[in-house]
Amino acid sequence: GAVVSQHPSWVICKSGTSVKIECRSLDFQATTMFWYRQFPKQSLMLMATSNEGSKATYEQGVEKDKFLINHASLTLSTLTVTSAHPEDSSFYICSARVGVKEKLFFGSGTQLSVL
Amino acid sequence: AQSVSQHNHHVILSEAASLELGCNYSYGGTVNLFWYVQYPGQHLQLLLKYFSGDPLVKGIKGFEAEFIKSKFSFNLRKPSVQWSDTAEYFCALHGDGGSQGNLIFGKGTKLSVKP
């Protein structure tokens, strides 16, 4: 089946630095990618929807200047957490699909720890 | 290895039929379990979750799931489905793996309800 590769799986960074997370669809072209975060003991929260070649659509309450999303190609979307702070420590996961009615495939997630 | 298995890839039911979608997991520690739904053209929504306590969990839209620890299962049920329940359903596991979080999704089950 289709594979979505997310990298890195675990990152530790200093407060104030930026971290980039990559999400790649390995054997299909993803017209849409989604970015989620999950805090401990909570469910997934959708952060933004990313369509190839256009600006990401952010959910209410998500700072677009802090969480930069780029979907430059049909197989790659990146999430950059800029000037990370300890409260940004969370589990981030991406998903991808080909078309509106197509199946959703998930990456393996990235655990971000900001010191 | 940690995994979530959803054995049914596509389930087709008539309206008013009863539904049970299987979810089995493999994880060595304490688990939090989720069922998410994705309606056509929409993003993921949380149906229900289990953290602790009563193993029979009731969610939105008449769905419920039962955590059976001895069987490593968390099957989703609904007594009478409606056409509007047509969607893709994902079972997910979040393991309490110390400081490193992990969220594992099943491959999803597509439910088609015939009017």
Side-chain angles (χ1 to χ4, degrees), chain A residues 9-10 34 36 38 40-44 46 59 91 93 97 100-104 106-108 111 113, chain B residues 32 34 36 38 40-44 46 49 51 88 90 94 96 99-103 105-109:
Chain A
S9 57
W10 189 23
F34 303 90
Y36 307 84
Q38 182 186 29
K41 298 292 186 183
Q42 297 185 26
S43 61
L44 279 183
L46 178 68
E59 295 299 302
F91 186 81
I93 193 166
R97 69 180 184 206
V100 173
K101 294 186 177 181
E102 294 297 323
K103 189 175 177 63
L104 202 63
F106 289 92
S108 53
Q111 178 66 41
S113 297
Chain B
N32 302 316
F34 306 83
Y36 289 92
Q38 185 193 17
Q42 300 183 27
H43 62 86
L44 280 183
L46 178 68
K49 60 188 177 184
F51 286 165
E88 184 111 28
F90 294 91
H94 182 260
D96 285 349
S99 60
Q100 186 172 356
N102 52 353
L103 184 64
F105 277 87
K107 291 188 183 298
T109 298

Side-chain angles (χ1 to χ4, degrees), chain B residues 2-96:
Chain B
Q2 303 162 11
S3 65
V4 175
S5 298
Q6 292 180 246
H7 310 294
N8 310 107
H9 298 293
H10 190 186
V11 173
I12 302 173
L13 295 173
S14 298
E15 275 194 314
S18 64
L19 170 72
E20 180 161 5
L21 300 182
C23 173
N24 287 91
Y25 67 90
S26 173
Y27 188 79
T30 303
V31 296
N32 302 316
L33 295 159
F34 306 83
W35 273 99
Y36 289 92
V37 60
Q38 185 193 17
Y39 296 104
Q42 300 183 27
H43 62 86
L44 280 183
Q45 298 176 37
L46 178 68
L47 268 182
L48 48 79
K49 60 188 177 184
Y50 170 78
F51 286 165
S52 63
D54 190 345
L56 184 61
V57 181
K58 294 195 182 297
I60 61 171
K61 303 186 181 185
F63 287 92
E64 65 177 32
E66 184 174 12
F67 171 54
I68 304 179
K69 191 174 181 179
S70 61
K71 295 184 178 180
F72 298 93
S73 69
F74 190 56
N75 292 354
L76 180 71
R77 300 194 293 250
K78 185 171 183 177
S80 175
V81 295
Q82 301 173 315
W83 177 79
S84 57
D85 293 324
T86 294
E88 184 111 28
Y89 292 81
F90 294 91
C91 181
L93 171 156
H94 182 260
D96 285 349

